[in-house]
Amino acid sequence: MDGALLGQGLKAKVFRGGAWLATGSVVEQGSRFVRNLILVRLLAPSVFGTMAVVLSASSLLQTCTDIGIRDALIQNPKGDKPEYVGAAWWMAFGRALSIYCLIFLIAPLVGVFYGDAQLAPLLRVAVLTALFEGAISSRAYLALKEMKFRKWAIVNHGGAVCGIAGTIILSVFFRNVWALVLGACFESAARCILSFVVCPFLPPIRWDKAAFQDLLKFSRGQFGLSFLALVYLRADIFVLAKLFSSAQVGIYTMGIYLVQVPTGFALMLLGNVMLPAFSRIQGDQERTNQIVIKVGNVILLFGMPIVAFVFFAGRPMLSVIYGDRYAAAAGSFFIAACVAVITLVNSQATGVFYANGSPQLHRRCVAAMALVMILITYPLAKVLGPVGGQVACLAAMSLGCWLQLNRLHHVTGLNLSRYLGPITQSGAAAAIVVACCLIGRSLGPLSPIATIAVGVAGLLLAYVAIGLLFLGRVRTPDQDLPTLASKQEGGISVGAEPIVAPAVGEKLANEASL
């Protein structure tokens, strides 16, 4: 076992990479959670609402010009050559500089639209994050290509931890939204500096035209995907900020944050660890489907009990963690948990499409989700209030997941009944949580902490049942990743270089956590 994990095969790289990324993400998200516990006691809910609008507006404009430079460099077989590394840096920095100039000019219009004059200066400072992100050393992206996840973990998560510490310090002196904006800038700057420390790189004076055009070929297939994805991810914020007060939007944002951050963590792991494995076996549809089904089973079996837990314990959780006034987001919190499970199921198909170098296959799904959000977010929010934003997200993601799985069925021949088979078992596991919570309620009124404790007990029982289910099955050798490793070590060509999809998980976790 030790030899397999210390070797140079794919299995060893996946496990080592997963360990580094998981450790870094746990430290980062744990730090963000502690930071938010502090911030909700220092800052008013309206501050978080205003920051949500700032981040959403700046991100929307950034994604309009997103061409997947990082992914193009990682996917390209020649991506490790100096001319490609230099061309990628100039593409990223030139795009970032253009974004900054554009947002600087139109920032006052955003303030006029929302009737808030302070949004203009906030946007002009917040968009400095785009400049810092665009200036990151291109060799840090090669660390992902070569599956040297330790370096990327230091750059990405190390910079985040520095920014979190800076935000807390700033919040002590600035009891307003400027603490969050400056903290976000400090985080991006720290990540940029660390990238050059860990992965030294000197940008060339000029870029190679042939390398530039070659990288742009992949980017054309991805163009517009990030923008459509952000429309889906942030349409609720744009609409709610127009209909409700900053305080209401802030409460809504902090409520769904408790779901979005762990979801972003899971998406990041799936994207940065599993996609290189998928790329190594592109063309081997049977093995691809085996991995997709196994990971999908785990998502459903562990996700459904959590949804049941949030249904019963969501309100007391928000009260204990943030304070009583944030309990108003309980409905949004529960719907967001449902969206999270479907999102993770959907991510399997996305991973296969990107690993095969065909991001355009994902476009129909993203376009459909964005269209649904545009059409139904406003009427649902008018009728249901802020929770309508998450109901729209649930409808959009459900449609997108159906389209993705159907497309995957045609691309790889995935057996959808096998993939969705564990729904019955996961529903039974969720029923254990429901039963425990109902029994607890029948005993009389429970305090918030007692309600959470009963829910946690139900979760533990559900997972024990899942563990017994796995132990009861006939054990068969896991031939997926070990076989991949043996093929790689034996020098057999099994596909193109690894490709890492856009870091949607990372952006989601970072932006949602304010």
Side-chain angles (χ1 to χ4, degrees):
M1 181 66 177
D2 291 339
L5 295 181
L6 296 175
Q8 294 302 313
L10 181 59
K11 179 180 180 181
K13 290 182 177 180
V14 167
F15 274 97
R16 288 200 304 269
W20 273 105
L21 292 174
T23 301
S25 292
V26 168
V27 171
E28 176 187 341
Q29 302 307 334
S31 301
R32 290 187 188 279
F33 182 73
V34 172
R35 180 203 62 181
N36 281 3
L37 291 180
I38 297 172
L39 294 184
V40 294
R41 288 159 176 80
L42 293 176
L43 306 175
S46 59
V47 170
F48 301 107
T50 302
M51 187 61 181
V53 175
V54 171
L55 284 177
S56 298
S58 61
S59 297
L60 180 65
L61 295 173
Q62 290 181 46
T63 56
C64 287
T65 58
D66 185 24
I67 53 176
I69 297 167
R70 184 184 87 170
D71 306 293
L73 183 67
I74 295 172
Q75 188 271 343
N76 196 295
K78 301 178 183 178
D80 56 351
K81 293 186 176 182
E83 58 268 27
Y84 280 78
V85 177
W89 188 89
W90 278 110
M91 289 171 68
F93 185 72
R95 169 184 167 273
L97 186 60
S98 301
I99 290 170
Y100 181 81
C101 294
L102 175 63
I103 294 181
F104 189 90
L105 292 174
I106 68 174
L109 299 180
V110 178
V112 171
F113 179 78
Y114 285 108
D116 190 348
Q118 69 171 336
L119 287 178
L122 288 171
L123 267 173
R124 286 172 170 171
V125 174
V127 80
L128 288 173
T129 58
L131 279 179
F132 292 126
E133 296 290 343
I136 285 179
S137 170
S138 297
R139 293 203 174 275
Y141 304 147
L142 290 184
L144 286 172
K145 179 181 179 67
E146 298 166 358
M147 301 184 77
K148 296 178 180 178
F149 298 109
R150 178 179 63 87
K151 292 184 177 181
W152 180 252
I154 293 173
V155 172
N156 188 51
H157 303 304
V161 172
C162 291
I164 290 167
T167 302
I168 294 175
I169 295 173
L170 288 168
S171 297
V172 174
F173 297 98
F174 301 99
R175 299 296 181 91
N176 53 42
V177 70
W178 281 106
L180 300 181
V181 171
L182 294 176
C185 293
F186 183 71
E187 178 177 330
S188 295
R191 190 176 287 119
C192 180
I193 294 171
L194 282 174
S195 72
F196 284 94
V197 173
V198 177
C199 305
F201 169 68
L202 181 63
I205 298 177
R206 301 176 62 183
W207 69 74
D208 186 274
K209 184 177 180 180
F212 179 90
Q213 293 176 342
D214 195 16
L215 291 173
L216 206 57
K217 290 180 182 178
F218 176 85
S219 300
R220 292 193 187 103
Q222 192 173 331
F223 183 77
L225 279 175
S226 295
F227 172 73
L228 292 173
L230 192 76
V231 171
Y232 159 72
L233 291 172
R234 292 289 177 255
D236 55 339
I237 298 297
F238 289 124
V239 173
L240 296 181
K242 189 68 175 176
L243 294 176
F244 304 102
S245 67
S246 297
Q248 290 175 293
V249 176
I251 291 172
Y252 168 88
T253 302
M254 296 302 289
I256 63 176
Y257 153 78
L258 288 180
V259 173
Q260 288 183 336
V261 169
T263 303
F265 166 69
L267 288 172
M268 182 275 298
L269 281 182
L270 289 173
N272 286 343
V273 176
M274 292 306 299
L275 290 186
F278 279 138
S279 70
R280 297 294 179 97
I281 58 171
Q282 53 180 290
D284 190 340
Q285 297 181 354
E286 180 179 356
R287 183 146 291 116
T288 297
N289 290 337
Q290 288 176 0
I291 296 176
V292 168
I293 289 172
K294 288 181 179 180
V295 176
N297 289 354
V298 172
I299 292 171
L300 290 173
L301 286 171
F302 283 86
M304 292 298 290
I306 294 177
V307 171
F309 169 74
V310 172
F311 178 80
F312 285 96
R315 181 174 294 273
M317 280 184 65
L318 291 170
S319 298
V320 171
I321 294 173
Y322 292 144
D324 292 337
R325 57 185 173 181
Y326 287 91
S332 301
F333 185 26
F334 168 68
I335 301 298
C338 299
V339 174
V341 174
I342 301 175
T343 300
L344 292 173
V345 170
N346 184 46
S347 69
Q348 292 297 290
T350 305
V352 174
F353 297 154
Y354 273 90
N356 287 324
S358 303
Q360 66 274 10
L361 295 179
H362 182 48
R363 182 177 286 108
R364 183 178 67 166
C365 162
V366 181
M369 292 192 299
L371 180 61
V372 170
M373 290 296 293
I374 292 172
L375 293 177
I376 70 175
T377 302
Y378 182 84
L380 285 175
K382 288 286 288 186
V383 174
L384 302 176
V387 71
Q390 280 304 298
V391 173
C393 290
L394 180 61
M397 179 52 70
S398 298
L399 173 62
C401 186
W402 181 82
L403 292 173
Q404 286 273 91
L405 293 179
N406 185 62
R407 175 63 66 89
L408 187 62
H409 169 70
H410 291 291
V411 172
T412 68
L414 176 68
N415 188 323
L416 296 180
S417 62
R418 285 188 61 197
Y419 185 72
L420 300 175
I423 287 181
T424 302
Q425 297 168 343
S426 59
I432 295 176
V433 180
V434 173
C436 288
C437 293
L438 290 177
I439 292 173
R441 287 189 174 186
S442 68
L443 299 178
L446 298 176
S447 67
I449 295 179
T451 302
I452 296 172
V454 170
V456 170
L459 270 180
L460 293 177
L461 288 175
Y463 290 146
V464 168
I466 292 172
L468 294 175
L469 175 65
F470 278 115
L471 291 175
R473 291 179 177 176
V474 178
R475 299 187 63 184
T476 57
D478 187 357
Q479 297 179 349
D480 294 327
L481 291 179
T483 302
L484 295 176
S486 62
K487 285 187 177 184
Q488 178 66 16
E489 291 166 356
I492 300 175
S493 176
V494 288
E497 292 291 329
I499 172 178
V500 179
V504 176
E506 297 169 12
K507 293 178 182 177
L508 179 60
N510 293 341
E511 292 177 5
S513 63
L514 302 181

